[in-house]
Amino acid sequence: MNGFINIFKPEGMSSAFCAGLVKKKFNMPCGHMGTLDPLASGVLPVAVGQACRLFPFLLEKVKKYEAEFTFGYETDTLDAGGAVVKSGGKVPSLKDVLSVLPAQTGKILQVPPKFSAKCVDGKRGYKLARAGKEFELPPKEVEILTLTACETEKKDTFRFFVECRGGTYIRSLCRDVAQSLGTFATMTKLVRTQSGIFTAERSVTYDELKASDTPQKYLLPSDSAVDFEKFTLSGEQATRLLNGLYDEYPIADGLYRIYNEGEFWGVGQAENGLIKMKAYVRF
């Protein structure tokens, strides 16, 4: 049994603990895609069985977030769970906030939070930060596709709507927006509403899955997660491919969803008319 569970992680729970429920329900190896911090909530795709092999083809997926940035102070973790390290900053107007967002849109260089899983000399940043070690993380290129904001009922807090590529840190975005306005801010809420084809509207809550005696009804087909062109082989052709025998086909170079008749076998790469399996999820 292979596929994906689109589970909506609740606030206050680790991604690993949330994925553990899926593993328990299906009694199979599972892995989650795109860690959400415990303070965050939202879409957490969990691969069941061999569907984990598709993760390398999902790295460029688009993600959407709704976040709240509270201005006037900054914590060491850049979110509400950290200790305050800067305070007394001004609270900007919505007009001022909107004026700096274009500079944070597109392909930009972003420094990850020190309290993150990024490594320095083989050690996780959050472990070094907790130990009080001084270190710097190098900036990395990320891509923010759309970015806007609106007011909330709190005068010092604005709600941000972010559409971005994988690898973007919303906590870093919060810090950078505030710095561009000459002040401080802390991310006080984060909800991931989309991760690739997985959306909040089509997710199952943790409690729903926990209470279900038929978790299979929430299992999404493996091939629904990848959007490469479909290429179907006959039974004999598929067997030859599986045995490492390469037949030539009149197709363009690139990645394809490979099917044996109507059954999804995995992702293959075509080069000069020859197809080689890159991720086999049949068994």
Side-chain angles (χ1 to χ4, degrees), residues 7 33 37 52-53 56 85 90-91 105 151 166 178 185 251-252 255:
I7 191 168
M33 181 176 65
D37 292 336
C52 293
R53 295 181 177 181
V85 292
K90 67 179 181 179
V91 176
T105 307
E151 294 176 325
I251 57 175
L255 294 171

Side-chain angles (χ1 to χ4, degrees), residues 20-130:
L21 173 65
V22 181
K23 182 178 181 180
K24 181 179 179 180
K25 285 290 184 178
F26 287 89
N27 193 29
M28 293 186 69
C30 295
H32 63 80
M33 181 176 65
T35 301
L36 277 173
D37 292 336
L39 293 178
S41 63
V43 170
L44 182 71
V46 180
V48 177
Q50 301 300 337
C52 293
R53 295 181 177 181
L54 296 176
F55 281 167
F57 306 101
L58 304 176
L59 298 179
E60 297 301 316
K61 61 189 175 301
V62 172
K63 299 181 180 181
K64 292 183 180 180
Y65 296 91
E66 292 183 11
E68 290 188 1
F69 299 168
T70 299
F71 287 80
Y73 74 100
E74 182 179 297
T75 68
D76 54 359
T77 60
L78 302 180
D79 63 18
V84 176
V85 292
K86 298 177 183 178
S87 60
K90 67 179 181 179
V91 176
S93 67
L94 177 61
K95 181 179 179 181
D96 289 338
V97 169
L98 294 175
S99 71
V100 301
L101 298 189
Q104 298 294 334
T105 307
K107 292 183 178 180
I108 61 172
L109 289 177
Q110 185 184 75
V111 177
K114 288 189 174 182
F115 281 84
S116 68
K118 291 296 180 182
C119 287
V120 178
D121 297 329
K123 296 183 179 180
R124 299 289 189 183
Y126 66 85
K127 291 186 177 180
L128 295 173
R130 287 172 182 168

